[in-house]
Amino acid sequence: MITSYLLDFGLIEIFEDYIKVTINEGVTVSPEHNDVLLEMVEKHYKNKAFLYLTHRINSYSVNPTIYLETAKIENLIGFAVVSDNPIQIKQTKLEKAFFSKELRRFDDIESALQWKNELLDKYEKLFY
């Protein structure tokens, strides 16, 4: 891990080629949270491909329209949701309809990171 940020809405961990976000219990993720993501991307992933990994261990809601803006981040290669909660499985299907890039749900972080590596191989020519 390169660094981490403990914010009022959750924990953001910055890695070489992915950002891992753990949102706090009861938060509603809204477009304002996307502004924080954009700052992190600008600071840590400028002109570099990366994956967004959300570790959904807490119960919170997401305004799905946020994905319309998130998908505009050019160097974002994919969005991984890590959760085995049946409610989150349904929520992820809904969110996918709003996200124009690759989005998948995984039961564990290891599987999500394996997919990240596959995506990096797939998209590396676009960013390097």
Side-chain angles (χ1 to χ4, degrees), residues 62-116:
V62 177
N63 176 341
T65 61
I66 195 169
Y67 292 107
L68 300 172
E69 288 302 312
T70 304
K72 293 178 184 177
I73 301 171
E74 288 186 28
N75 52 331
L76 174 63
I77 59 169
F79 195 99
V81 176
V82 178
S83 177
D84 59 1
N85 180 323
I87 294 171
Q88 288 298 330
I89 293 169
K90 290 179 184 177
Q91 180 68 25
T92 301
K93 287 179 184 177
L94 171 68
E95 293 167 8
K96 194 171 188 170
F98 289 87
F99 194 63
S100 61
K101 296 188 177 190
E102 301 202 44
L103 185 150
R104 284 198 196 165
R105 188 205 54 81
F106 299 90
D107 289 333
D108 57 74
I109 290 176
E110 294 76 23
S111 299
L113 293 178
Q114 182 178 347
W115 181 62
K116 171 203 49 107

